Every structure is written in C-alpha cells, then in structure tokens.
Amino acid sequence: DQQVKQNSPSLSVQEGRISILNCDYTNSMFDYFLWYKKYPAEGPTFLISISSIKDKNEDGRFTVFLNKSAKHLSLHIVPSQPGDSAVYFCAASARSSGDKLTFGTGTRLAVRP
Amino acid sequence: DAGVIQSPRHEVTEMGQEVTLRCKPISGHNSLFWYRQTMMRGLELLIYFNNNVPIDDSGMPEDRFSAKMPNASFSTLKIQPSEPRDSAVYFCASSHRTTSSYNEQFFGPGTRLTVL
C-alpha cells in the first residue's frame, strides 16, 4: 500500500518556466512533509519541508504548498533552471512514527535549455 | 565533513551468495536508516536505529535480510542468501535526533547491488 504517491513519473519543462511537481498521501496521521532532490549516482538531498500547521513554505525559487483537506502537496520551482534536472521525492512523517519517513516513487524533472 | 560513507559503491554477485553492505554515519549523528530504492516502489525504509538500537525493522523484506549497528560509527546490512529480486540501490542515511518534530536525514551515495 503506497501511502505517498507521485503519479507523474516524469516532467519536462522549458528553462525559465515554472515546474510543478505533485504528491498525494493517504495517511491522515502524517504531519510533516518534505521534498528531496536526487542527482544520478548520488544520494537524495533535502530540499524543502512543510509542517501540517502551515499551507505554504517558500525558500528562494522553491515553494511547497500543502492542502490538508485534499491530502495533496506540490512543489513549485520558478524559474526552472537546467541544474534543477533531477529526480524529486516527496516524503512524509508522522509524529507517532518517530523518525520514520515514507517516500513516494519520485518524479524525474528535465529542464530544457 | 565527510558525509555518510557507504561501501562498496557497486556490488555484483550471483544468486545464493552472501552480500554485506557497509555504512559509516556522520560523526555525532545518533540515528541511522537503511533504505532500498527500486523503480516500482521508490525509496523504502528497511530499518532504522536510534543510539545503535533497532527501533523499527518492519520494512525488512524477509529473514534473508539482517542489519546490525555494533557502535555509533558503523552499520551493516546483510543479505543471505541473495536473490535477483534484491537488485536495487541501497542507501544509508543518518540524522541527529532531537526533541524537535523532525530531524533532517543525510543520505550516503548508495550501493548499487546486482544479483545475477
């Protein structure tokens, strides 16, 4: 049972435009959400996060939006740059589960010059 | 800071052989995680330790998998006997657990395992 779902395995965007990556979750106990970025032959690195008490968190070109009623979050990258080309993983955590993270299957973003 | 160190980076073995993956967490971190990445299931948590004690091993697929953390600076993930379906990239991650709601996990570069 996939509790965190990223239904788009890939996304292609023109440089300078907005990239929107989506993530859905099913477990209502999740109260903290994260995005990790992964380049080939490297481990994932933390990008941005959001607590369930907020609906938006912004860090430079990256913004994460959370819609708790829809159990949906999205990552916006604007403007997109070729260096943003990577696999993006959505992850969720529940306070009751300690440090455990549940990841999605990832979305491969390609930013075209 | 050297980051999380994993070895080997690549491992090719034959079905039935024992495989041991190694991890050195970031110095000072007290939580360690083992993940497996596959195309179908993404990143799955296999097991995690806090202060060298296994806390949650519910993600370990079956008895062929075992993990140990004999001290704060070393952990192993062993598969015995290995099977072709174990082929995946295995990641180790560590974090410094505090009382805050979430503590960032830092990942190693992974070990790509191929079982023929």
Side-chain angles (χ1 to χ4, degrees):
Chain A
D1 178 30
Q2 199 76 15
Q3 296 187 61
V4 177
K5 301 177 183 179
Q6 294 177 257
N7 293 317
S8 297
S10 63
L11 175 67
S12 181
V13 172
Q14 189 75 36
E15 180 179 6
R17 306 295 292 268
I18 185 170
S19 296
I20 300 176
L21 296 92
N22 294 301
C23 178
D24 298 292
Y25 62 96
T26 58
N27 188 342
S28 58
M29 297 299 292
F30 288 147
D31 56 9
Y32 202 84
F33 304 89
L34 309 92
W35 286 93
Y36 275 76
K37 177 179 180 178
K38 183 184 177 308
Y39 291 118
E42 295 182 10
T45 55
F46 170 74
L47 185 59
I48 192 170
S49 64
I50 188 168
S51 165
S52 61
I53 62 173
K54 296 184 177 181
D55 55 17
K56 175 182 176 181
N57 187 27
E58 189 173 353
D59 183 3
R61 297 184 297 113
F62 302 91
T63 303
V64 56
F65 295 92
L66 175 62
N67 182 334
K68 289 185 291 293
S69 61
K71 292 191 176 64
H72 177 84
L73 66 156
S74 60
L75 174 68
H76 292 210
I77 307 172
V78 55
S80 301
Q81 299 174 355
D84 297 329
S85 297
V87 177
Y88 290 79
F89 288 97
C90 172
S93 172
R95 185 182 299 270
S96 58
S97 299
D99 297 321
K100 185 173 180 176
L101 280 182
T102 302
F103 282 85
T105 52
T107 296
R108 182 177 301 277
L109 173 65
V111 180
R112 308 185 304 274
Chain B
D1 191 345
V4 176
I5 299 172
Q6 291 187 248
S7 64
R9 293 294 309 274
H10 301 273
E11 177 79 32
V12 180
T13 190
E14 293 188 345
M15 182 174 63
Q17 296 297 307
E18 177 180 298
V19 174
T20 299
L21 311 181
R22 297 173 177 80
C23 175
K24 177 178 170 54
I26 292 173
S27 177
H29 282 189
N30 55 7
S31 291
L32 183 139
F33 308 81
W34 281 102
Y35 290 90
R36 178 172 66 177
Q37 182 192 5
T38 60
M39 288 294 290
M40 291 299 295
R41 302 178 67 85
L43 274 165
E44 299 175 276
L45 177 66
L46 301 177
I47 184 171
Y48 83 91
F49 297 83
N50 186 242
N51 292 323
N52 311 339
V53 176
I55 302 301
D56 186 340
D57 65 353
S58 59
M60 296 287 262
E62 47 198 275
D63 291 345
R64 297 184 298 106
F65 286 70
S66 63
K68 294 181 180 179
M69 192 164 186
N71 57 62
S73 59
F74 183 67
S75 177
T76 59
L77 178 68
K78 184 177 293 186
I79 309 173
Q80 166 63 18
S82 58
E83 297 182 2
R85 59 190 169 126
D86 301 330
S87 297
V89 181
Y90 291 81
F91 290 101
C92 176
S94 70
S95 71
H96 178 59
R97 192 168 197 271
T98 67
T99 56
S100 63
S101 60
Y102 175 71
N103 312 114
E104 181 184 344
Q105 295 182 20
F106 295 81
F107 282 75
T111 296
R112 180 174 295 277
L113 173 65
T114 303
V115 183
L116 304 174

